[in-house]
Amino acid sequence: MADQQEEVLRKILSKFPSGISFAFAYGSGIFHQKGNISSQNMLDFVFVLENARKWHEDNVYGKHHAHHYSSLRWFGSRALVPLQDKLGAGVYYNTLVPMEGRMIKYGTISRDNFLLDLNDWQWLYLAGRLHKPVHVLLRPSGKDIVSALKANLNSAITAALLCLPEYFTEEELFLRIAGLSYAGDFRMVVGENKNKVQNIVSSSFESFQELYRPILLNSGKLHFSSSSGKYHQDQASDVIFCRLMSLPKNLQLKIAQAFEGKKVKPSLVESALVKASKDRVACSQLVNKGVTSIVKRSSITQSVKGIFTAGGHKTLIYSAQKLTKMMKGVFGR
């Protein structure tokens, strides 16, 4: 079954133009989740593009995929690319596209914006998606993407540690990491299964271990007790400050603003973080506020953008499917 799915994924990828720097598949169509194991779940893809304008032109005209797009396609790539890059979280999605007997959704993002999100958590959108296991279809071209992928995982652990108590289990760590990109996401109120984070972790626990254990084992400030099955983290203020300073720049700024209660110049962020590191409990709350602030904005703007990129008809169908999944999660049916 796994080989058949891999073949389908490869065939789908082959139908798109070249010029993709990195490609991965994700979601319940790839990783079966409790209560959501249909073999016909939509397959979700993300393509990181070298030249977005050329790629979309090739996709519409060279591959004859104009039907993947909403009526926005009539304005050409000169309109599509600014919409992709400037609005929402830098991603342009085509959804409910039939391919190889499956229904797919694929998002495109420029290489620069992809790196910006992974390194700085500008939107914590694809960065958040990559905190969780994904199925890599096309390995990254270039050391910059490889480096950004590693940095993003390190950032996820750092942010999670700042929100966790002195002693915690591996499951608690993974739940915190998986939940980062859902903090403040309005879709968790309407449209998503309320047990989504728990289902993601429990269904892919070993994959989470593969992602994060190498980082955990190399951390000098974490100690694992085999007798208790828990990690112990050093919570001295200097350790907390070092962790705050290793967070992505956008999250540092949001934490500083939450601490000061006002806008903060980038040059004053470090001094605010020094003061924030003195109070362990307050620091945890500030990190949560900072993450929530980033995710809330990007989730709303990306969803509004999705109405235009998908078109009215597809938006209604996609929204209905999301609500159905949410109700199944609530009532267990």
Side-chain angles (χ1 to χ4, degrees), residues 153-217:
L153 295 181
N154 277 287
S155 296
I157 283 188
T158 301
L161 289 176
L162 288 164
C163 297
L164 286 166
E166 185 175 1
Y167 295 92
F168 58 90
T169 64
E170 197 169 50
E171 181 182 24
E172 288 170 334
L173 173 64
F174 296 158
L175 286 170
R176 179 64 68 171
I177 289 172
L180 287 171
S181 60
Y182 294 112
D185 190 336
F186 80 98
R187 293 171 300 176
M188 294 302 291
V189 178
V190 178
E192 290 287 3
N193 185 340
K194 300 302 182 291
N195 300 316
K196 188 178 183 71
V197 174
Q198 179 67 60
N199 290 345
I200 288 172
V201 173
S202 60
S203 301
S204 304
F205 195 81
E206 291 182 358
S207 296
F208 272 93
Q209 289 178 321
E210 290 177 14
L211 276 179
Y212 291 106
R213 274 199 173 175
I215 302 174
L216 295 172
L217 291 173

Side-chain angles (χ1 to χ4, degrees), residues 55-276:
W55 192 90
H56 283 292
E57 288 176 352
D58 291 346
N59 197 40
V60 171
Y61 302 111
K63 294 294 183 177
H64 304 292
H65 289 164
H67 60 287
H68 293 186
Y69 296 78
S70 69
S71 57
L72 290 172
R73 70 183 182 274
W74 298 115
F75 296 96
S77 62
R78 291 181 181 274
L80 292 177
V81 174
L83 183 62
Q84 172 188 285
D85 291 346
K86 304 299 183 183
L87 298 180
V91 191
Y92 188 106
Y93 274 106
N94 284 324
T95 190
L96 294 174
V97 175
M99 270 194 176
E100 294 296 324
R102 297 293 296 271
M103 200 64 76
I104 77 165
K105 177 180 74 175
Y106 63 95
T108 58
I109 186 170
S110 71
R111 187 189 190 107
D112 287 346
N113 276 344
F114 184 69
L115 293 173
L116 181 63
D117 199 26
L118 266 63
N119 287 321
D120 293 350
W121 284 10
Q122 182 66 27
W123 303 286
L124 195 43
Y125 196 83
L126 291 185
R129 165 45 52 197
L130 286 159
H131 290 165
K132 299 170 275 290
V134 301
H135 184 80
V136 175
L137 291 169
L138 185 64
R139 294 190 176 281
S141 63
K143 294 181 180 179
D144 54 351
I145 295 181
V146 173
S147 177
L149 289 167
K150 291 180 179 178
N152 185 46
L153 295 181
N154 277 287
S155 296
I157 283 188
T158 301
L161 289 176
L162 288 164
C163 297
L164 286 166
E166 185 175 1
Y167 295 92
F168 58 90
T169 64
E170 197 169 50
E171 181 182 24
E172 288 170 334
L173 173 64
F174 296 158
L175 286 170
R176 179 64 68 171
I177 289 172
L180 287 171
S181 60
Y182 294 112
D185 190 336
F186 80 98
R187 293 171 300 176
M188 294 302 291
V189 178
V190 178
E192 290 287 3
N193 185 340
K194 300 302 182 291
N195 300 316
K196 188 178 183 71
V197 174
Q198 179 67 60
N199 290 345
I200 288 172
V201 173
S202 60
S203 301
S204 304
F205 195 81
E206 291 182 358
S207 296
F208 272 93
Q209 289 178 321
E210 290 177 14
L211 276 179
Y212 291 106
R213 274 199 173 175
I215 302 174
L216 295 172
L217 291 173
N218 289 324
S219 175
K221 300 298 182 181
L222 285 178
H223 305 283
F224 181 74
S225 170
S226 56
S227 59
S228 66
K230 291 188 175 184
Y231 283 93
H232 173 243
Q233 64 169 320
D234 190 336
Q235 292 191 309
S237 59
D238 60 327
V239 174
I240 293 174
F241 174 67
C242 286
R243 286 186 178 140
L244 287 170
M245 288 301 295
S246 66
L247 290 172
K249 289 181 181 179
N250 193 33
L251 179 54
Q252 287 182 356
L253 180 61
K254 297 299 183 184
I255 292 170
Q257 290 175 343
F259 180 79
E260 298 290 356
K262 60 182 180 181
K263 288 188 176 182
V264 175
K265 294 180 180 179
S267 60
L268 299 178
V269 167
E270 184 173 348
S271 62
L273 297 185
V274 170
K275 291 181 283 186

